Amino acid sequence: QVQLQESGPGLVKPSQTLSLTCTVSGGSISSGSYYWSWIRQPAGKGLEWIGRIYTSGSTNYNPSLKSRVTISVDTSKNQFSLKLSSVTAADTAVYYCAREGGYYQPFDYWGQGTLVTVSS
Amino acid sequence: QSVLTQPPSASGTPGQRVTISCSGSSSNIGSNTVNWYQQLPGTAPKLLIYSNNQRPSGVPDRFSGSKSGTSASLAISGLQSEDEADYYCAAWDDSLNAYVVFGGGTKLTVL
């Protein structure tokens, strides 16, 4: 059974860079034709896809966030990571990592989510 | 403002059938399949329906999905109290660099 777990600071100051890591267990991040995504959800609001990475390193980003987002993968640690620069209070949200079951496939496994608050 | 449009709320009594709509455009629902996610309070979303009308293993057949043109629907029959949750539709959008778009979510209340 694949499991995903987000980790990282719960508090980030405005204008700084938010950094999160997702650790995948129960399977190799490199096996299969899976994509690995980040999705966020502000309190009381809907879901927003941030971007994804394939184990080859190829990425796709939400156009609205593309200028501030970097997603990377470390296959040796079975992890992938998110960096979001120049954060503001609007970036405060629960951040989820998720597995996409293939090209244009749904998110079939999700992490439990981690709350990141942007505040001074 | 979400790219896909869902009603913010829906409700029904136990045993009833309810439907939740999801409206998009030619660049998302009109071109790609629709997935539905169920989010119980305080938990991560869970895949409920994929490829418009397919149920993952373990999802009761009370849940069904359909798609026509640039709209999709989720139907829940034999409504149960444990179905009270937020429901989100999602699809890929090909208008710019391809990216995933979600609906704003529908909060289902079981009366």
Side-chain angles (χ1 to χ4, degrees), chain B residues 2-3 10 12 23 25-26 40 42 48 80-81 83 93 100:
Chain B
S2 300
V3 174
S23 178
S25 68
S26 58
L40 298 171
L48 192 66
Q80 299 181 4
S81 58
D83 298 333
D93 190 298
V100 176

Side-chain angles (χ1 to χ4, degrees), chain A residues 25-41:
Chain A
S25 59
S28 170
I29 200 170
S30 301
S31 67
S33 302
Y34 302 121
Y35 290 77
W36 305 91
S37 280
W38 287 98
I39 297 157
R40 70 180 183 178
Q41 183 175 36

Side-chain angles (χ1 to χ4, degrees), chain B residues 49-75:
Chain B
I49 296 287
Y50 68 97
S51 296
N52 303 327
N53 55 17
Q54 301 299 301
R55 284 186 308 277
S57 174
V59 173
D61 59 6
R62 302 186 295 105
F63 295 90
S64 62
S66 64
K67 178 186 128 173
S68 178
T70 59
S71 294
S73 291
L74 172 70

